[in-house]
Amino acid sequence: MHAPAHDPRLARRAVIAATCGNALEFYDFVTYAYFAIQIGHTFFPSTSAYLSLMGSLATFGAGFAARPVGAWVIGGYADRHGRKRGMFLSMILMGVGIVALACTPGYASIGIAAPLIAIAARLCQGFALGGEVGAATTYMLESVPPEQRGMASSWQNSSQMIAFTVGALVAFLLSLWLNEDELGRYGWRIALLIGTSILPFALLIRRSLPDHPVHTDAPLTEAEQLTATPAGFWRIVILGMMIIGAGTTTTYIFLYMATYAQNTLHLPIWVGMAGDLSNNAAGMVTAIIGGWLSDRVGRRPAMIWPQLAFVILILPMFSWFLAAPTVAAFLTLNIVLSGIGTMPFSAAFTAVAESLPRGMRARAFALVYTIPVTTMGGTTQSNLAWLLHRTGNPAVLAYYLMAVACMGLGAMLFLPESAPMSIRRKRTQAPLPA
């Protein structure tokens, strides 16, 4: 049986379709984070600013809690009825959730219905995003030739950084254009709705895709058709959760750098924002380099060696910076560590996804991704804030980053090589039996 002919245009459309949802997810995340105070005042008015903010953050957290449920339901739907249908469903639900949140009147207008609708909207978003990552990532990897999977997957990682950068820019421009009262009444709504402008394009391109990817793996075995769990499955799941947990925690630590610069180091606001922009820009570039590299040297070298370099550099870089916390040193710290720390995860995400059996890949990868994002990523910034407050030691952030980086490196060392070209090369070089 001949392999299907590669259509570069179809592969490009699949990558764009998959990364659109990822970009919207992270744009929504960073936008909500920037306007958490204003959203809290809208839906949870209180004489206590702290209680209002906590109501906003709890609503934001509801979206994280719904992700594993969406991973199970939409991921299973994509495995049974096709990745395209799962992608289309998740994108529609994502749009409904964001538009509902942005258009719901505040507590002053409709009373208790306002926070209830806001919570329901966040639950809908979280449910959609939980299923999105499994269906979209699986479709993308199965739509490109095996020797291009790492490069394709890198756009999932890079799109996060693009979304963070755009979100930061939108928030910055709105803060210049509108006063504090206007930001609270409708500025944050504008920011959220700007993100939904990608929805018509994303739905159109997803609709234009074929129902089934072109470059699938070998035909499903009878065991896979019966959805039996193959040997080694749980090893991949556990290692994958550790790796993605390390990756998402690292990402959220770098997102915290603007707050760290202001609250802990007492640097000007613009320095913190510049640090966020610089580490996002570095991550955009190195994520693509990491994926490209994994297609040429294999997944394991492309993730293990950069992660090892990251682990080695964390404490020396922070020690150098904290000894003289200048603006130039802060920007250098962000660029170097974010650049190196982002690079391994394009290869890692590809390795985990292509190591999972195709018959259950969408649901399994969605769960492997969403559970650590919910339990580790969703609590990272609050954990950091508490530790820095309790200890008063700015180096705590470096120790936290070091701990999760070591966890990720350990899991990478035990993850088997999955790149088809590397596996074939290893087999051809194996000695003949005596």
Side-chain angles (χ1 to χ4, degrees):
M1 180 177 177
H2 296 289
H6 174 48
D7 184 347
R9 292 173 299 177
L10 177 60
R12 282 195 296 269
R13 292 211 312 272
V15 171
I16 293 170
T19 55
C20 281
N22 197 52
L24 180 58
E25 170 191 356
F26 282 92
Y27 175 86
D28 171 72
F29 170 85
V30 76
T31 300
Y32 196 110
Y34 280 130
F35 293 103
I37 294 174
Q38 289 78 14
I39 293 172
H41 290 163
T42 301
F43 296 115
F44 304 94
S46 172
T47 55
S48 168
Y50 173 75
L51 291 178
S52 178
L53 178 60
M54 289 305 293
S56 175
L57 294 177
T59 301
F60 181 63
F64 279 93
R67 288 189 182 198
V69 181
W72 179 269
V73 175
I74 299 179
Y77 177 79
D79 282 331
R80 293 190 306 271
H81 302 289
R83 322 301 192 200
K84 175 182 172 179
R85 292 186 181 184
M87 292 166 62
F88 205 81
L89 174 62
S90 66
M91 184 60 77
I92 290 175
L93 291 174
M94 198 186 310
V96 168
I98 296 174
V99 172
L101 180 65
C103 296
T104 298
Y107 188 93
S109 299
I110 61 174
I112 192 65
L116 293 178
I117 294 173
I119 292 170
R122 288 299 299 176
L123 288 171
C124 181
Q125 284 177 264
F127 180 85
L129 293 170
E132 162 73 19
V133 67
T137 302
T138 300
Y139 192 99
M140 179 179 63
L141 290 182
E142 294 174 353
S143 296
V144 299
E147 64 272 14
Q148 296 178 15
R149 286 176 179 168
M151 184 65 178
S153 181
S154 70
W155 285 101
Q156 284 281 68
N157 208 3
S158 186
S159 67
Q160 297 179 18
M161 305 301 173
I162 295 171
F164 288 146
T165 303
V166 173
L169 182 60
V170 168
F172 176 70
L173 292 176
L174 284 173
S175 69
L176 294 179
W177 179 40
L178 304 173
N179 60 40
E180 187 173 340
D181 178 63
E182 290 168 333
L183 282 173
R185 285 189 290 114
Y186 58 83
W188 65 269
R189 300 179 189 272
I190 293 173
L192 285 177
L193 290 173
I194 286 173
T196 62
S197 62
I198 199 175
L199 278 170
F201 169 76
L203 290 172
L204 182 64
I205 195 168
R206 289 186 176 193
R207 188 179 183 86
S208 70
L209 294 172
D211 288 331
H212 301 286
V214 177
H215 290 274
T216 58
D217 301 323
L220 294 178
T221 65
E222 183 179 352
E224 287 176 325
Q225 292 171 356
L226 295 173
T227 66
T229 303
F233 173 78
W234 290 109
R235 176 189 179 190
I236 299 299
V237 167
I238 293 170
L239 293 175
M241 285 185 178
M242 292 173 65
I243 291 170
I244 291 173
T248 192
T249 303
T250 299
T251 297
Y252 292 154
I253 288 174
F254 283 119
L255 279 177
Y256 189 77
M257 292 301 280
T259 304
Y260 179 69
Q262 297 171 60
N263 289 356
T264 304
L265 304 177
H266 308 293
L267 295 171
I269 294 175
W270 72 267
V271 176
M273 293 295 183
D276 264 7
L277 288 173
S278 64
N279 67 49
N280 288 338
M284 275 191 280
V285 175
T286 57
I288 295 173
I289 293 173
W292 172 84
L293 193 64
S294 76
D295 286 330
R296 280 148 184 80
V297 302
R299 314 294 183 223
R300 282 174 53 82
M303 60 183 173
I304 291 172
W305 290 111
Q307 187 71 5
L308 178 61
F310 181 55
V311 167
I312 292 172
L313 284 173
I314 291 171
L315 292 182
M317 286 292 296
F318 268 93
S319 297
W320 166 75
F321 164 66
L322 292 174
T326 63
V327 173
F330 184 68
L331 296 179
T332 302
L333 174 82
N334 276 273
I335 291 170
V336 172
L337 288 185
S338 179
I340 297 174
T342 302
M343 186 183 294
F345 291 97
S346 295
F349 288 0
T350 309
V352 172
E354 67 186 355
S355 296
L356 294 168
R358 184 159 59 93
M360 57 179 72
R361 183 177 288 159
R363 172 183 281 172
F365 185 76
L367 288 169
V368 168
Y369 183 89
T370 56
I371 290 175
V373 166
T374 300
T375 57
M376 295 183 64
T379 59
T380 294
Q381 297 195 7
S382 58
N383 289 344
L384 283 173
W386 181 81
L387 285 169
L388 288 165
H389 175 73
R390 290 286 295 177
T391 65
N393 182 4
V396 163
L397 187 145
Y399 300 140
Y400 196 105
L401 183 59
M402 180 79 168
V404 297
C406 287
M407 179 187 74
L409 177 61
M412 290 173 184
L413 290 170
F414 288 97
L415 193 69
E417 180 61 73
S418 62
M421 300 300 289
S422 297
I423 293 173
R424 283 198 291 269
R425 191 182 307 121
K426 184 177 179 180
R427 286 173 178 169
T428 58
Q429 293 173 352
L432 295 175

